[in-house]
DNA sequence: CATCAGGGCCCTG
DNA sequence: CAGGGCCCTGAT
């Protein structure tokens, strides 16, 4: 488990209280592992979310509305059910409320059919046990594409500590502190707000050369020229090309977005250096292995589910690490 | 004190 | 298509 301290919301940020509440019930396709889907122990802690067993809170901007979300497990792996509660400042118009359950179902990939994947996992000696422990885990993202893009950008060429620092600085400067359901979380900003910020102001937030990227991406979103909901229908190749066309998005960020945001479980085109070391150890018991080899082997073993299988292996490792420290893994997590 | 790589990406030759 | 440069930070 990454032990960086999630900083408390800062007094510099504006505060807002969300008092309107709407409730929905979502029924995922079984098997569905609630905790393993909402909580990714390999991720760094973000002040925009909070996680407890059986419950998850986060803020997000959806169709220009600031929302506080709570997902609560009200079923089990084989009979899944999720209570979704949504808080907002004012009553939400139908244009936001109606598509919301679908949106959340998409973000958590609730309707994914895992039968073929299950067959592949159980047919492989390495993943059989992992499937037993984590069956029903999905690729998921609690955030919009824009929000995940901001996270991807602060991940670039940075260690965990620095990523956390950059994100917190940005959230404090441009986000809000959001109170709902008895807790306070940070929220991201509207793209337009960041697009108008001066370069020097961003530099002061210690984001370095990423200032240019953050600003250009925000401009593109503020202009409304990017419609991520349309991109969901694209083929893997077309989607990847669209993502790569975004300024500041290269192979590593495209990989994150393809998998976490768009749930493309087939696509493993790139494995970043840090993950490469971890897979080298887990899959080959070696210090380092060629990226090409890891990718080809994964495709051979898990076919169209190579990315999802690697994700299961990775998250299972971090889940076990959070229960009982795995020394070699501690050494690879560079704070 | 200096130097350097780090969970990339863009741009140039 | 290889490699330099880029902001910062902590490690050496």
């Amino acid at each position: 488990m990454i032990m960086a301290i999630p900083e408390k919301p800062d007094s510099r940020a504006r505060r807002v209280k969300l008092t309107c509440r709407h409730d929905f019930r979502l029924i995922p396709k079984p098997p569905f592992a609630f905790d393993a889907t909402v909580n990714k122990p390999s991720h760094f802690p973000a002040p925009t979310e909070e996680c407890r067993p059986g419950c998850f809170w986060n803020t997000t901007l959806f169709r220009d509305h600031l929302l506080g979300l709570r997902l609560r497990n009200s079923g089990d792996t084989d009979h899944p059910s999720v209570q979704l509660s949504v808080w907002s400042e004012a009553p939400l118009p139908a244009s936001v409320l109606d598509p919301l359950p679908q949106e959340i179902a998409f973000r958590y990939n609730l309707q994914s059919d895992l039968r073929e994947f299950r067959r592949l996992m159980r047919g492989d000696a390495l993943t059989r046990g992992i499937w037993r422990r984590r069956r029903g885990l999905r690729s998921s993202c609690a955030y919009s594409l824009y929000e995940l893009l901001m996270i991807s950008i602060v991940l670039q060429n940075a260690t965990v500590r620095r990523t956390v620092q950059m994100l917190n600085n940005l959230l404090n400067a441009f986000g809000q502190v959001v109170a709902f359901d008895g807790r306070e979380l940070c929220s991201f900003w509207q793209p337009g707000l960041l697009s108008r910020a001066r370069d020097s102001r961003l530099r002061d937030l210690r984001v370095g050369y990423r200032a240019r990227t953050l600003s250009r991406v925000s401009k593109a979103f503020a202009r409304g020229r990017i419609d991520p909901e349309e991109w969901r229908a694209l083929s893997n190749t077309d989607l990847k090309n669209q993502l790569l066309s975004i300024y500041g998005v290269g192979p590593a960020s495209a990989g994150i977005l393809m998998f976490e945001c768009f749930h493309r479980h087939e696509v493993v085109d790139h494995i970043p250096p840090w993950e490469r070391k971890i897979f080298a150890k887990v899959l080959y018991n070696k210090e380092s292995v060629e990226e090409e080899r890891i990718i080809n082997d994964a495709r051979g073993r898990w076919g169209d589910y190579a990315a999802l299988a690697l994700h299961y292996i990775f998250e299972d490792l971090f889940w076990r690490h959070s229960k009982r420290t795995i020394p070699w893994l501690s050494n690879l997590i560079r704070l």
Side-chain angles (χ1 to χ4, degrees), chain A residues 44-210:
Chain A
F44 70 89
T48 49
E49 63 185 54
E50 188 177 328
C51 195
R52 302 269 174 80
C55 209
F56 181 84
W57 298 261
N58 78 297
T59 64
T60 193
L61 287 156
F62 177 61
R63 303 203 174 178
D64 293 333
H65 286 262
L66 173 61
L67 305 178
L69 302 177
R70 185 184 71 197
L71 273 68
R72 180 170 272 174
N73 187 8
S74 57
D76 59 46
T77 304
D78 295 306
H79 309 87
S81 170
V82 175
Q83 298 287 347
L84 167 66
S85 300
V86 183
W87 281 263
S88 54
E89 232 181 324
L92 293 169
S95 61
V96 177
L97 214 46
D98 293 346
L100 194 55
Q102 282 291 359
E103 174 68 17
I104 300 307
F106 177 80
R107 290 190 185 187
Y108 291 92
N109 204 13
L110 296 185
Q111 295 310 314
S112 171
D113 183 344
L114 295 175
R115 280 175 297 181
E116 173 64 8
F117 178 62
R118 168 178 177 266
R119 194 186 65 74
L120 289 162
M121 290 290 274
R122 301 217 298 189
D124 187 293
L126 174 74
T127 50
R128 194 171 301 135
I130 297 177
W131 171 258
R132 208 182 308 118
R133 287 193 290 277
R134 309 291 166 209
R135 70 194 177 90
L137 180 164
R138 316 291 168 99
S139 75
S140 74
C141 178
Y143 302 99
S144 66
L145 175 62
Y146 175 76
E147 290 166 334
L148 185 58
L149 255 169
M150 297 294 106
I151 294 173
S152 307
I153 291 166
V154 295
L155 281 168
Q156 291 170 5
N157 205 27
T159 53
V160 174
R161 189 191 304 276
R162 205 160 131 52
T163 293
V164 169
Q165 182 202 41
M166 288 188 277
L167 185 62
N168 284 338
N169 288 348
L170 287 164
L171 289 168
N172 283 329
F174 299 102
Q176 294 174 280
V177 175
V178 183
F180 70 100
D181 197 27
R183 59 209 69 231
E184 288 194 334
L185 297 175
C186 295
S187 72
F188 281 89
W189 48 87
Q190 299 281 1
L193 184 64
L194 196 55
S195 75
R196 290 189 298 274
R198 293 191 162 282
D199 190 69
S200 59
R201 174 137 189 251
L202 290 173
R203 297 276 170 165
D204 290 343
L205 300 175
R206 317 276 98 183
V207 299
Y209 59 81
R210 299 164 196 82

